[in-house]
Amino acid sequence: MSIEVHSLTKTFGTQVAVDHINFSVGKGEIVGFLGPNGAGKSTTMKMITGYLLPDEGNISICGLDVLRQPIESRRKIGYLPESNPLYYDMYVKEFLSFIGGIYRVDQRMKKVEEVIEQTGLGEEQSKKIGQLSKGYKQRVGLAHALIHDPEVLILDEPISGLDPNQLVEIRDLILEIGRSKTVLFSTHIMQEVEAICDRVIIINKGKIVADDLIDKLQRPSGDKEILQILLDRPLSIDAFRQINGLNAINSLDPAVFVLEFDPSQDIRPALFEMVKRMDRKILEMTVVHEGVEEVFRKLTEDNRSS
């Protein structure tokens, strides 16, 4: 495993920020690390990267113990913190060369050229960092994290505050990076989680409340099922009211309907019969799944109220 976290705990005074959490991330995975503000995301990331010491627990990066082998393990990590600290008075190429020197990168200028091309900074490389847009500053932060060719990338809110075009560009860059590296990143933009991640870990009040593949999280709610159907011709919504077991009906269009029902009752035979009787055909039938945002909201709200 590229990242292994076991019984990780951190307290600040009487507040338990991270409470005995366990998870692992394999090579080549892109994992979203989600949670409400104050849930423990950034604290966990800072402990993984060695910027904070845990009170209890163990962390290993590519088999290296973060506490016992801090220098060796940090060489395996590229870290983009939420604050993205940069030297605004330095030029892009100058800054990356400086960072490469800190990491003692072999053939430093060649590597600088490579990460500039990889992150799309070519036209901006001769500008001062302070002159760049938010999107390009994020690219510089990513180039900083990549300059020493780490095996693991830890990205804390890498797409926060970007405009839609910048967001797509950074998303595509993370996907490209994720083909050869392990990526753990946090964000509050759930659409990006669904677009980028293989898997999601949700933390709330310092505890892991979900850890699963995106496809498994995006499932129908346990107490209801939802079908969306497309008919070949419009039909009155009243025609559906004769079907026993329907809890709710919504018309998105004269020929598109969303039907909510109890999963213990299979309404499909009655639905097919009604549609046939009304001289219509079902062109498409889709099970509507919950999005990650809905799953996130339910898990974190339930946890807050307990």
Side-chain angles (χ1 to χ4, degrees):
M1 287 291 177
S2 296
I3 304 172
E4 290 186 88
V5 169
H6 177 68
S7 198
L8 194 62
T9 303
K10 184 67 179 179
T11 60
F12 297 99
T14 58
Q15 181 184 359
V16 181
V18 177
D19 191 359
H20 295 89
I21 66 171
N22 301 277
F23 67 86
S24 60
V25 183
K27 184 176 181 180
E29 278 193 286
I30 302 179
V31 176
F33 193 48
L34 312 179
N37 290 332
K41 300 187 304 299
S42 293
T43 299
T44 300
M45 288 181 157
K46 287 175 182 176
M47 287 190 285
I48 291 173
T49 54
Y51 284 81
L52 273 180
L53 293 177
D55 296 328
E56 297 179 38
N58 301 301
I59 309 160
S60 69
I61 301 295
C62 302
L64 299 170
D65 189 298
V66 169
L67 297 179
R68 296 179 180 176
Q69 301 164 286
I71 303 300
E72 295 90 338
S73 63
R74 286 189 186 188
R75 288 184 181 139
K76 301 287 185 180
I77 299 172
Y79 179 39
L80 176 60
E82 184 177 6
S83 58
N84 191 13
L86 300 169
Y87 292 107
Y88 280 18
D89 288 331
M90 294 183 77
Y91 295 93
V92 172
K93 195 169 185 178
E94 175 192 15
F95 171 72
L96 294 176
S97 176
F98 168 67
I99 297 299
I102 292 174
Y103 280 106
R104 298 181 181 177
V105 173
D106 293 332
Q107 297 182 303
R108 189 197 320 172
M109 293 315 299
K110 180 181 178 181
K111 187 60 183 177
V112 168
E113 295 290 345
E114 287 177 1
V115 296
I116 283 174
E117 181 178 357
Q118 184 179 12
T119 55
L121 284 166
E123 295 183 1
E124 313 297 322
Q125 62 182 303
S126 298
K127 290 184 180 179
K128 284 189 176 182
I129 295 173
Q131 297 174 320
L132 302 180
S133 68
K134 176 69 181 290
Y136 277 109
K137 287 187 176 86
Q138 289 295 81
R139 288 173 184 264
V140 174
L142 280 170
H144 176 185
L146 291 167
I147 191 72
H148 58 299
D149 196 24
E151 295 181 37
V152 175
L153 274 180
I154 309 292
L155 310 176
D156 195 356
E157 297 286 349
I159 51 183
S160 175
L162 303 184
D163 68 34
N165 291 331
Q166 294 169 337
L167 192 148
V168 169
E169 292 168 356
I170 297 298
R171 175 211 299 167
D172 291 344
L173 180 55
I174 292 171
L175 283 169
E176 178 65 28
I177 292 167
R179 292 179 181 177
S180 58
K181 301 183 186 299
T182 300
V183 180
L184 179 69
F185 84 100
S186 71
T187 180
H188 288 102
I189 305 174
M190 297 299 164
Q191 296 91 333
E192 293 309 301
V193 173
E194 295 179 0
I196 296 173
C197 295
D198 307 310
R199 181 174 135 224
V200 169
I201 298 170
I202 300 176
I203 186 171
N204 193 37
K205 286 189 172 181
K207 293 181 179 291
I208 302 293
V209 295
D211 182 354
D212 216 332
L213 297 173
I214 284 280
D215 290 345
K216 291 186 178 180
L217 281 176
Q218 294 173 311
R219 60 186 185 273
S221 173
D223 59 353
K224 65 182 179 183
E225 282 210 38
I226 302 173
L227 286 178
Q228 181 171 308
I229 65 168
L230 169 64
L231 302 180
D232 62 335
R233 289 183 290 136
L235 183 64
S236 170
I237 196 171
D238 292 332
F240 292 88
R241 303 192 192 283
Q242 60 189 275
I243 300 174
N244 293 327
L246 275 180
N247 297 331
I249 314 159
N250 187 28
S251 177
L252 303 182
D253 182 88
V256 180
F257 300 87
V258 177
L259 314 175
E260 180 183 312
F261 59 97
D262 190 316
S264 64
Q265 290 186 276
D266 188 354
I267 67 164
R268 288 172 298 178
L271 173 63
F272 294 144
E273 180 62 32
M274 182 276 291
V275 170
K276 182 179 178 181
R277 190 166 58 249
M278 293 296 175
D279 193 27
R280 302 295 194 276
K281 294 179 181 178
I282 296 177
L283 300 180
E284 186 177 306
M285 178 182 291
T286 307
V287 177
V288 179
H289 294 78
E290 291 183 324
V292 172
E293 183 170 359
E294 180 67 13
V295 174
F296 174 87
R297 185 185 62 79
K298 285 184 177 181
L299 288 171
T300 54
E301 281 190 349
D302 289 347
N303 197 272
R304 281 199 300 270
S305 62
S306 61

